């Protein structure tokens, strides 16, 4: 198990859950080990930068992988590696591209660099240029960020923009890629939209 076995606390528990979940779709031991190594690598900046293991971003890498295991079938291991290592919202929590390439090769490293980030003026156009594997990885990662956005008071100034961007770009993108993920994006937009309305209605 290598690095994954060196994790502690909630990260170690999540690594065990992730390994068990990977067995269900039939990923072999080597693939499971590699995906767990990607999770472990993604945890390094979190361990260094986040104040505690209950921060909303702490287990984001594994949750992105679990979304794909739940809502997609026959997902390529490289797609799961990309999902684990991509972080669209937190620059300080990203792993350096050269480290990713050294550990996992050029395919996931190049894939990560091709995924557009929030605020891109050509977001939908660039998303539609992604191949099917990268499209799934991008959708899962962004969905997990959105699902935990209400816990990110540090990003509150971005809430309205991310909600609008999701409606304009991520929902039509998801509609082309995966019906289950499309439904989850639609649900988030409805629920988070009501949250934003309540905040607007609250007295200052």
């Amino acid at each position: 198990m290598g690095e994954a076995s060196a994790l502690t606390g909630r990260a170690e528990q999540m690594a065990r859950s992730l390994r068990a979940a990977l067995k269900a779709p039939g990923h072999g031991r080597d693939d499971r080990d590699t995906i767990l190594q990607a999770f472990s690598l993604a945890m390094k900046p979190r361990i260094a930068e986040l104040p505690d293991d209950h921060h909303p971003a702490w287990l984001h890498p594994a949750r992105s992988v679990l979304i794909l295991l739940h809502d997609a079938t026959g997902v390529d291991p490289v797609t799961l590696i990309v999902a684990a290592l991509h972080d669209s919202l937190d620059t300080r929590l990203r792993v350096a591209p050269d480290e990713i390439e050294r550990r996992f090769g050029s395919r996931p490293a190049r894939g990560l660099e091709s995924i557009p980030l929030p605020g891109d003026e050509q977001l939908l156009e660039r998303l539609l240029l992604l191949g099917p594997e990268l499209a799934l990885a991008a959708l899962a990662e962004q969905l997990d960020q959105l699902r935990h956005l209400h816990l990110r008071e540090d990003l509150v100034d971005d809430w309205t923009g991310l909600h609008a961007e999701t409606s304009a770009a991520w929902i039509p993108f998801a509609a082309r890629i995966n019906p289950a993920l499309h439904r989850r994006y639609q649900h988030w937009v409805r629920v988070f939209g009501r949250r934003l309305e309540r905040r607007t209605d609250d007295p200052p």
Side-chain angles (χ1 to χ4, degrees):
M1 293 176 64
E3 281 185 84
S5 63
L7 296 171
T8 59
R10 296 182 70 226
E12 182 182 27
Q13 295 172 9
M14 179 60 90
R16 289 197 295 267
S17 298
L18 192 55
R19 179 173 288 276
L22 285 163
K23 291 181 180 179
H27 288 288
R29 180 172 180 175
D30 289 346
D31 287 343
R32 294 198 302 270
D33 287 346
T34 301
I35 294 161
L36 265 291
Q37 289 166 15
F39 169 59
S40 181
L41 182 61
M43 288 304 301
K44 283 187 174 182
R46 286 165 164 75
I47 293 168
E49 297 288 341
L50 295 179
D52 63 71
D53 64 1
H54 285 82
H55 189 283
W58 183 259
L59 295 176
H60 170 64
R63 294 194 306 256
S64 297
V65 174
L66 290 171
I67 286 172
L68 288 179
L69 295 176
H70 182 267
D71 287 327
T73 58
V75 182
D76 183 273
V78 173
T79 305
L80 298 174
I81 291 169
V82 171
L85 289 167
H86 184 42
D87 196 303
S88 59
L89 294 184
D90 291 286
T91 304
R92 63 180 176 148
L93 302 182
R94 295 173 192 156
V95 178
D98 57 345
E99 176 69 3
I100 295 171
E101 183 166 1
R102 184 180 70 81
R103 298 286 297 276
F104 302 104
S106 60
R107 184 180 165 198
R110 287 198 308 267
L112 282 161
E113 290 181 347
S114 70
I115 298 174
L117 299 176
D120 192 305
E121 292 183 357
Q122 296 181 311
L123 180 60
L124 180 56
E125 291 83 353
R126 291 190 60 192
L127 287 171
L128 292 172
L129 291 175
L130 297 175
E133 293 84 5
L134 286 178
L136 283 172
L139 280 168
E141 190 277 339
Q142 185 70 9
L143 178 62
D144 188 68
Q145 297 281 22
L146 296 174
R147 288 173 61 240
H148 293 83
L149 189 62
H150 66 287
L151 301 173
R152 299 292 303 268
E153 290 291 335
D154 58 317
L155 297 176
V156 68
D157 290 342
D158 300 323
W159 283 12
T160 299
L162 286 168
H163 182 262
E165 189 175 76
T166 301
S167 297
W170 287 96
I171 282 184
F173 177 54
R176 292 172 175 248
I177 305 300
N178 181 285
L181 291 174
H182 180 227
R183 289 191 295 272
R184 295 184 71 176
Y185 270 88
Q186 289 179 310
H187 175 74
W188 180 84
V189 164
R190 288 193 299 270
V191 173
F192 202 79
R194 292 195 290 269
R195 180 183 294 273
L196 290 175
E197 289 173 0
R198 288 196 300 271
R199 287 178 63 90
T200 301
D201 292 339
D202 286 342

